[in-house]
Amino acid sequence: MEKKSHSFFRFVAPVVVLLLLVASSILIFQIRTEEYKDWTAVPGVVFKREWVRNFRVRIYYTYTVDGESYTGSELYHRSNGTAEAGDETLIWYDPENPAHSSYHKPGPGLDPYGVYFLMAPLAVAWLAENHRKS
């Protein structure tokens, strides 16, 4: 009987962990999507592009909301930061806090997948441990 329950656990445990990972990922995706659902776009202008080490570029921009001017900046990998000074673009901002802005339409990004990256080393260790025991 001991062998049968151990075998069942070896099958069920990874399935349960995988389901928890998927559920966590979906929840994080929904939370992050909800966070940005009301963000609004306004015209803006890139006023500076600055190279930063490790092939990164920081893009500085300005935009106006309700007659008040704001500035912002974001760091991008060189391939994503193609804007040049003087380029007109849409800037996304939080209507509840117009100083909080984004050069691109904000979304969940890679956050929903973070749980997989955190769990990968644990999964490898668990598999190695189970392989060693068998």
Side-chain angles (χ1 to χ4, degrees):
M1 183 67 176
E2 170 96 17
K3 185 75 169 169
K4 212 176 214 183
S5 66
H6 181 62
S7 177
F8 178 75
F9 176 77
R10 286 181 66 183
F11 172 75
V12 171
V15 172
V16 169
V17 169
L18 183 61
L19 289 173
L20 288 172
L21 286 173
V22 170
S24 298
S25 182
I26 291 169
L27 181 64
I28 292 168
F29 180 86
Q30 290 174 335
I31 289 169
R32 296 289 286 166
T33 301
E34 180 70 19
E35 179 181 347
Y36 296 117
K37 76 175 173 110
D38 294 330
W39 280 46
T40 306
V42 293
V45 177
V46 174
F47 67 86
K48 183 178 175 184
R49 177 180 170 180
E50 175 181 74
W51 285 98
V52 183
R53 66 173 191 242
N54 298 331
F55 303 103
R56 294 194 175 127
V57 76
R58 181 168 292 280
I59 297 173
Y60 297 87
Y61 53 86
T62 185
Y63 60 102
T64 303
V65 176
D66 295 330
E68 188 168 343
S69 292
Y70 296 91
T71 60
S73 72
E74 289 192 47
L75 190 63
Y76 291 96
H77 185 272
R78 155 178 82 177
S79 61
N80 292 334
T82 58
E84 297 288 341
D87 286 353
E88 293 182 5
T89 186
L90 287 178
I91 302 298
W92 294 84
Y93 72 94
D94 181 353
E96 294 181 20
N97 180 7
H100 193 198
S101 63
S102 178
Y103 176 70
H104 291 293
K105 184 174 182 174
L110 293 176
D111 292 352
Y113 308 106
V115 292
Y116 297 105
F117 294 113
L118 293 173
M119 292 302 296
L122 294 174
V124 169
W126 183 80
L127 289 170
E129 180 65 21
N130 279 330
H131 181 70
R132 188 178 61 81
K133 287 181 179 178
S134 53

